[in-house]
Amino acid sequence: MNEKEKLFNGGVLTEARKGAIEPPRDLWENKKNGLVIIECPQRIPCNPCHTSCPTGAVKAFKDINDQPEIDYEKCTGCARCVAVCPGLACFVVDLTWGGDGVALMKLPYEMLPLPQEGETVDCLNRIGNTVSKGKIVKVLEPMHDRTMVVHVEVPRDLVMDIRTIRVVKQA
Amino acid sequence: MDLIEKHPILEFKHSKKVKFSFDGIEMEGYEGEPIAAALHANGVRIYRITPAKEQTRGFFCAIGKCSSCFMVVDGVPNVRTCVTPLKTGMRVETQLGKGVIPMDA
Amino acid sequence: MSATLEAASLGCHVTLVDSDLALGGQLIKQTHKFFGSKDERAGTRGFKISEILLEELNSYKGTVEVHTNCTATGFYKEDGVVSCVIGEDEYFRIKPEKIVMATGAQERLLPFPNNHLPGVYGAGAVQTLMNVYGVVPGKKVLMVGAGNIGLIVSYQLMQAGVEIAGIVEAMDKVGGYWVHAAKTRRLGVPIYLRHTIREALGDKIVEGAVIQEIDDRFQPTGKEIKIDADVICMAVGLTPTCELLWQAGCEMVFVPQLCGHVAQRDLFMRTSHKDIWVAGDASGIEEASAAMVEGRIAGVGVAKALGHGEASEHSGRLEEFKRRLADLRGGEVGQKICQGISCCTVNEWGV
Ligand SMILES: Cc1cc2nc3c(=O)[nH]c(=O)nc-3n(C[C@H](O)[C@H](O)[C@H](O)COP(=O)(O)OP(=O)(O)OC[C@H]3O[C@@H](n4cnc5c(N)ncnc54)[C@H](O)[C@@H]3O)c2cc1C
Ligand code: SF4
Ligand code: SF4
Ligand code: FES
């Protein structure tokens, strides 16, 4: 087992795989409201990302165990899948957002304390290391079921690293 | 008490607060919740001491299946405190050894 | 609950006894959203599913009788009587025509020095404390086992504000769903693959643990790592609760894929005892989604045997439930389950 396999076997994505691929750059750069990134590389009996997607961007599953496949043309970045996915495996990244060097991420969040609009938070990568600060733009509860979708402004070059946020305790 | 005050998903509805005693010390807990949970919230971890090896035991399964949480309750030994609801005024004691069943019970 | 609902919907009178203080079994402890499809309420949190079932049960007030804090302690083969105890000492006996045994599962423990210390808790116990009674289980927890339970309970502990010192897993891969591992990892929890717990530290209560890497033959290698923790949470698997099935003399087989001894059953979940059905984790460790469908199947089976409902209704419902089970079991994990089930299923009992 090499380092990469070890990481992946412990729940850390190390490269693109079936069910966990990066959206096509060209489309992504210009898509207002962003595109979905799904990281769900294992066959599991689960499909709410498909059944809840209002535009059919997550293609129909032949078998409920299939990994999700995405038609990026159809994705509107609405982040509904972010709110419903039980695996917290859907994220939306909007590269058209804001000024130079920043992007907007819409991330699922089920911890306390809740971040406040305008607050600066830590942005964590896939192994929980803080890789940058981010600014909270919005905190929504789309399904009214306690899974929050947090909109956070992050450094643009880190959108493929950052996967969650942590509220920094005030001293 | 060591309770979860805020939770991102759950809201806890506790019932009425009642007083009970543990080895003579007065404690508070919620009526109808398992004795073991009330003790844990009060920081009590050791529920009995085993007869042969004199090892300390707490609870383990919390569903009434492993016997780890036996205590003496109102004088009666071998009560599974993880599934026995707390009542006001209960006398809960650490069980030493096998526990002696009172003659008149 | 599912078996009760299905049987009641076909006109049976049902007495439901559960040893817990509330109905719902494992479900009431699950704060996370479930997988599965819409039919099994995917994306709904476990405890919500239990609330939905409870509401459905309430609509059968006249025909369903519920006893909680009531344990079925024995089954008497001679006359088919079941003895029950409410609380610790209030005994009664009932003689049902048909019985569904859906007693769930029991936690396994690993042998290691000091595993008796208070603070070594089963994962289910930790969940009960924090998710049902809102009691903080500890300050810092070492999780043993990275199956779905270990992963999910770690995540739930973090939601309750408890720190996770790490998750130890003997295999070279997490056993639970990858996405569950990913969501705990990104919160900074280390997962120690190919590691095992060597001993719990502490005199009267747990103060820490020693873990160590293991080789291909599960022998310890490498240096011991000391971990600070006041709770060691055991999530090394479940095994079906089947004492009553043994007592009843049902034909049992050991099926590793289903995590223990299970009763042989036919397509309607009927055991070799003509009046006893099984369902859920008691018939093999799987998932709530499948457990609920199995419960429904057993419910139909019982109704059929009692002559409630039309034959076409029974076969129609059975087909529908079979389809749902097949869908649920189509994945990596499901394959293993199907192998297991094929080892203990008979087509029809000659009864
Ligand atoms: C941490 C964790 C996470 C899980 N996550 C998921 C998930 O995401 N998706 C999923 O589909 N499944 C999940 N499961 C699995 C799921 O919870 C179980 O498969 C399901 O609850 C099994 O249902 P059951 O009715 O067979 O058993 P249980 O829910 O265990 O219910 C058995 C009931 O029987 C009672 N009982 C036992 N013996 C007796 C007796 N002698 N007399 C009276 N009553 C008795 C018990 O008190 C209990 O209430 C999870 C389980 C755990 C522990
Ligand atoms: S972001 Fe919206 S449109 Fe895109 S995949 Fe998710 S649910 Fe579908
Ligand atoms: S809803 Fe989430 S966990 Fe389920 S298949 Fe879709 S991406 Fe994977
Ligand atoms: S903790 Fe197992 S019986 Fe009470």
Side-chain angles (χ1 to χ4, degrees), chain B residues 4 11 17 38 53 64 93:
Chain B
I4 301 170
E11 273 157 41
K17 243 189 205 165
K53 296 195 191 151
E93 291 161 288

Side-chain angles (χ1 to χ4, degrees), chain A residues 34-96:
Chain A
L35 285 180
V36 73
I37 295 175
I38 297 189
E39 296 186 353
C40 186
Q42 185 188 32
R43 284 177 56 77
I44 52 174
C46 181
N47 68 4
C49 50
H50 158 65
T51 50
S52 68
C53 176
T55 64
V58 182
K59 296 183 199 164
F61 288 43
K62 273 190 220 79
D63 169 343
I64 184 171
N65 293 282
D66 288 345
Q67 290 99 337
E69 263 182 65
I70 302 149
D71 181 348
Y72 292 101
E73 293 288 343
K74 288 190 184 153
C75 175
T76 59
C78 71
R80 203 178 167 88
C81 54
V82 179
V84 299
C85 166
L88 306 192
C90 303
F91 318 90
V92 168
V93 175
D94 182 357
L95 296 176
T96 69

Side-chain angles (χ1 to χ4, degrees), chain B residues 45-48 56-60 68-70, chain C residues 116-119 121:
Chain B
R45 301 285 182 274
I46 300 169
Y47 296 3
R48 72 179 172 109
T56 48
R57 288 284 158 91
F59 68 89
F60 176 72
S68 187
C69 64
F70 280 0
Chain C
H116 61 84
L117 283 182
Y121 297 153

Side-chain angles (χ1 to χ4, degrees), chain A residues 1-62:
Chain A
M1 198 167 52
N2 64 32
E3 255 340 275
K4 245 186 188 173
E5 279 168 356
K6 215 169 174 176
L7 275 171
F8 179 75
N9 287 349
V12 181
L13 194 72
T14 49
E15 60 205 333
R17 296 174 175 253
K18 190 168 185 201
I21 53 173
E22 215 174 297
R25 270 281 158 178
D26 295 350
L27 185 69
W28 198 10
E29 297 280 353
N30 301 308
K31 190 91 167 197
K32 230 177 143 334
N33 285 322
L35 285 180
V36 73
I37 295 175
I38 297 189
E39 296 186 353
C40 186
Q42 185 188 32
R43 284 177 56 77
I44 52 174
C46 181
N47 68 4
C49 50
H50 158 65
T51 50
S52 68
C53 176
T55 64
V58 182
K59 296 183 199 164
F61 288 43
K62 273 190 220 79

Side-chain angles (χ1 to χ4, degrees), chain A residues 110-112 145-146, chain B residues 6-9 11:
Chain A
E110 294 184 328
M111 293 286 153
L112 282 179
D145 68 349
R146 303 275 174 113
Chain B
K6 273 202 206 136
H7 194 283
I9 312 294
E11 273 157 41

Side-chain angles (χ1 to χ4, degrees), chain C residues 64-342:
Chain C
V64 174
E65 193 183 321
V66 177
H67 296 282
T68 53
N69 192 12
C70 176
T71 308
T73 53
F75 175 82
Y76 297 89
K77 252 193 300 197
E78 309 76 53
D79 51 7
V81 164
V82 179
S83 62
C84 297
V85 54
I86 300 182
E88 297 289 302
D89 45 19
E90 200 182 314
Y91 287 88
F92 70 92
R93 288 147 46 91
I94 40 177
K95 192 173 173 195
E97 283 174 81
K98 308 287 169 198
I99 306 172
V100 179
M101 294 189 181
T103 44
Q106 257 157 293
E107 250 156 328
R108 293 193 186 152
L109 184 56
L110 287 181
F112 57 85
N114 286 334
N115 68 2
H116 61 84
L117 283 182
V120 178
Y121 297 153
V126 166
Q127 278 195 311
T128 308
L129 266 192
M130 68 177 171
N131 291 346
V132 182
Y133 300 109
V135 175
V136 183
K139 291 192 185 68
K140 199 165 176 186
V141 176
L142 174 70
M143 183 66 63
V144 183
N148 272 328
I149 297 184
L151 296 172
I152 291 170
V153 175
S154 298
Y155 185 76
Q156 293 177 350
L157 278 160
M158 285 186 271
Q159 289 181 315
V162 178
E163 196 184 334
I164 306 292
I167 305 177
V168 183
E169 168 61 53
M171 307 310 267
D172 53 18
K173 187 176 160 185
V174 298
Y177 291 151
W178 188 91
V179 286
H180 282 318
K183 72 186 182 192
T184 47
R185 283 295 270 139
R186 70 173 78 111
L187 293 167
V189 174
I191 298 184
Y192 299 94
L193 297 175
R194 276 173 169 247
H195 275 70
T196 190
I197 179 164
R198 293 303 307 276
E199 66 173 315
L201 302 173
D203 178 22
K204 293 203 162 58
I205 58 172
V206 169
E207 287 158 20
V210 176
I211 65 168
Q212 194 174 14
E213 192 166 349
I214 48 178
D215 63 18
D216 293 340
R217 274 163 291 126
F218 297 100
Q219 294 309 308
T221 71
K223 70 170 195 299
E224 300 184 341
I225 309 172
K226 219 182 120 192
I227 303 249
D228 247 359
D230 62 344
V231 170
I232 298 171
C233 183
M234 304 301 297
V236 289
L238 301 168
T239 183
T241 303
C242 49
E243 288 86 354
L244 291 171
L245 293 159
W246 284 109
Q247 279 182 23
C250 299
E251 276 176 42
M252 306 290 285
V253 271
F254 182 79
V255 183
Q257 294 95 331
L258 301 178
C259 307
H261 279 93
V262 295
Q264 301 229 31
R265 78 294 305 265
D266 68 5
L267 296 174
F268 275 105
M269 304 300 293
R270 188 188 225 163
T271 67
S272 63
H273 189 297
K274 71 174 181 23
D275 296 328
I276 299 179
W277 279 252
V278 277
D281 281 356
S283 69
I285 305 300
E286 203 179 340
E287 298 238 305
S289 33
M292 290 187 285
V293 183
E294 282 181 346
R296 301 244 167 211
I297 292 177
V300 177
V302 167
K304 180 171 175 237
L306 287 171
H308 290 290
E310 302 290 324
S312 60
E313 178 87 45
H314 301 143
S315 55
R317 290 195 190 190
L318 179 67
E319 281 317 306
E320 159 69 14
F321 295 143
K322 287 247 118 78
R323 183 191 59 75
R324 283 204 223 161
L325 277 182
D327 284 352
L328 288 172
R329 290 172 179 158
E332 249 174 65
V333 184
Q335 269 169 10
K336 195 189 81 178
I337 301 277
C338 289
Q339 280 170 8
I341 288 175
S342 66

